[in-house]
């Protein structure tokens, strides 16, 4: 008798033995050019704060880079969606201020806004004019405008508007009480028309559905109340200083004397933000505000 010992495989049942762990992918070391690009992007977001106008939240992004850097879920809204429901929760726009049709450099204006969790908003606009020796009557002095109120399904509902000027004692203040249908100035009170805006909130209210097509909006600058007669002039292609071409809806308002006029260009693919403004004052002097830097945080959620 011959005995031979043979080693046999165990009788395995499917599921008894877990599959071997997947090999971990090797981490790719970024190329020097990529590291340089990342460092440059971080440098853009780490700009110093303005003394009177705080920076947006850390997640703020440079609008000039959104088109190439944003994830698919952060794609700007559809061209037809010029709506305040997509208004960013916080942001900042820096404008170059220009005077006259020759567009003489006259300083800069910074808009900063924040929306709190309770639906209240605050917008501040700081204008820092530059001296212009060729125009002796142009007296530069910083001006700070503040608009505060609530965000509603119909848009912005300002409750307080304040103007402060450097070298001028005191302030210009307006209080708007929607519940009492009353607007209060330093000199008295008046009935509050529906959807009344101040000169600062008006620029952002235009981005809400139907606002530009309403035909008229009541606006106060703190010293008077005007009925802005609105006209939509169509779409323009704007070559912006930060290297982008933006599609913008141009809305014109006529008010006050026959000379006064305000054109606002609303960026169709940038939440309807005002990226260019042209104003003719009562004396016929023309001013331009051209956005040269835009930063926004997360958009507001749909109501």
């Amino acid at each position: 008798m011959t005995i031979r010992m043979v080693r046999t495989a165990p009788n395995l049942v499917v599921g008894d033995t877990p599959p071997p762990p997947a090999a971990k992918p090797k981490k790719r070391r970024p190329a020097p050019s990529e590291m340089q690009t990342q460092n440059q992007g971080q440098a853009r977001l780490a700009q110093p704060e303005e003394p009177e106008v705080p920076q947006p939240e850390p997640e703020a992004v440079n609008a000039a880079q959104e088109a190439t850097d944003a994830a698919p879920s952060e794609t700007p809204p559809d061209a037809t969606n010029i709506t305040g429901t997509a208004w960013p929760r916080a942001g900042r726009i820096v404008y170059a201020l220009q005077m006259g049709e020759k567009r003489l450099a006259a300083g800069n204006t910074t808009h900063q806004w924040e929306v709190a969790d309770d639906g209240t908003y605050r917008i501040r606009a700081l204008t820092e004019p530059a001296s212009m020796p060729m125009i002796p009557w142009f007296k530069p002095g910083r001006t700070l405008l503040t608009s505060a109120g609530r965000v509603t399904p119909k848009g912005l509902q300002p409750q307080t508007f304040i103007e402060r000027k450097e070298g001028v004692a005191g302030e210009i203040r307006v209080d708007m009480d929607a519940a009492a249908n009353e607007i209060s100035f330093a000199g008295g009170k008046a009935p509050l028309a529906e959807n009344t805006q101040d000169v600062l909130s008006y620029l952002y209210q235009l981005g809400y559905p139907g606002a530009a097509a309403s035909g008229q909006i009541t606006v106060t600058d703190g010293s008077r109340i005007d009925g802005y007669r609105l006209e939509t002039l169509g779409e323009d292609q704007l070559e912006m200083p930060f290297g982008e071409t933006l599609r913008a809806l141009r809305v014109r308002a006529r008010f006050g004397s026959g000379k006064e006029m305000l054109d606002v260009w609303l960026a169709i693919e940038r939440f309807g933000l005002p990226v260019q403004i042209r104003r003719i004052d009562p004396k016929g002097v023309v001013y331009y505000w051209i956005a040269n830097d835009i930063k926004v945080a997360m958009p507001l959620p749909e109501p």
Side-chain angles (χ1 to χ4, degrees):
M1 178 183 295
T2 302
I3 301 175
R4 184 171 57 182
M5 300 184 69
V6 179
R7 184 177 180 179
T8 61
N11 185 21
L12 295 179
V13 179
V14 175
D16 285 355
T17 305
K24 295 183 178 180
K26 295 182 179 180
K27 294 184 178 179
R28 185 176 68 87
R29 183 179 180 87
S33 60
E34 293 177 345
M35 296 178 66
Q36 181 179 4
T37 302
Q38 294 171 3
N39 292 337
Q40 290 174 349
Q42 293 172 358
R44 282 194 297 271
L45 297 178
Q47 297 180 7
E49 295 187 357
E50 300 287 343
E52 288 82 2
V53 184
Q55 295 282 347
E57 295 298 321
E59 68 266 33
V61 296
N62 193 318
Q65 299 295 322
E66 282 183 350
T68 55
D69 297 344
S73 61
E74 298 174 333
T75 300
D78 184 79
T80 59
N81 187 25
I82 302 183
T83 154
T85 57
W87 195 39
R89 183 178 298 277
R92 187 184 74 169
I93 305 177
V94 180
Y95 299 90
L97 173 59
Q98 301 170 348
M99 178 186 290
E101 292 298 352
K102 293 183 178 181
R103 302 204 178 196
L104 302 175
N108 61 75
T109 297
T110 301
H111 286 192
Q112 172 78 37
W113 71 88
E114 312 92 23
V115 180
D117 292 338
D118 62 358
T120 58
Y121 79 85
R122 181 180 300 273
I123 313 172
R124 284 170 285 185
L126 176 65
T127 297
E128 300 178 281
S131 59
M132 302 177 67
M134 72 289 294
I135 306 178
W137 54 263
F138 183 65
K139 305 294 184 183
R142 295 193 301 173
T143 300
L144 178 64
L145 307 180
T146 303
S147 174
R150 301 193 62 82
V151 179
T152 75
K154 294 182 179 180
L156 303 183
Q157 184 182 78
Q159 297 171 336
T160 305
F161 173 76
I162 298 173
E163 177 184 311
R164 298 186 180 96
K165 288 187 176 182
E166 187 176 25
V168 178
E171 63 185 28
I172 297 175
R173 181 186 178 100
V174 179
D175 292 298
M176 289 167 270
D177 188 343
N181 292 322
E182 188 175 76
I183 181 169
S184 301
F185 296 84
K189 298 180 180 181
L192 179 66
E194 184 179 1
N195 194 29
T196 296
Q197 301 292 319
D198 56 64
V199 290
L200 188 52
S201 66
Y202 164 77
L203 300 174
Y204 296 89
Q205 175 65 13
L206 283 180
Y208 278 74
S214 64
Q216 182 164 319
I217 293 182
T218 301
V219 181
T220 178
D221 65 356
S223 59
R224 71 186 200 190
I225 302 175
D226 286 302
Y228 280 27
R229 302 177 296 279
L230 304 180
E231 180 184 4
T232 301
L233 301 180
E235 181 180 319
D236 290 335
Q237 300 285 330
L238 300 182
E239 297 288 341
M240 305 307 297
F242 45 78
E244 259 192 276
T245 300
L246 297 183
R247 297 171 54 209
L249 186 68
R250 184 179 184 182
V251 180
R252 172 169 292 174
R254 297 181 184 273
F255 57 96
S257 67
K259 293 182 179 179
E260 291 182 89
M261 188 168 63
L262 182 67
D263 286 358
V264 181
W265 283 261
L266 307 170
I268 292 174
E269 295 166 332
R270 290 290 183 270
F271 313 106
L273 295 175
V275 293
Q276 182 170 291
I277 305 165
R278 177 179 182 266
R279 165 150 193 184
I280 302 178
D281 72 6
K283 297 179 180 179
V285 180
V286 181
Y287 296 90
Y288 289 89
W289 287 264
I290 312 296
N292 56 28
D293 185 58
I294 303 173
K295 289 183 174 65
V296 297
M298 297 297 292
L300 292 174
E302 297 286 342

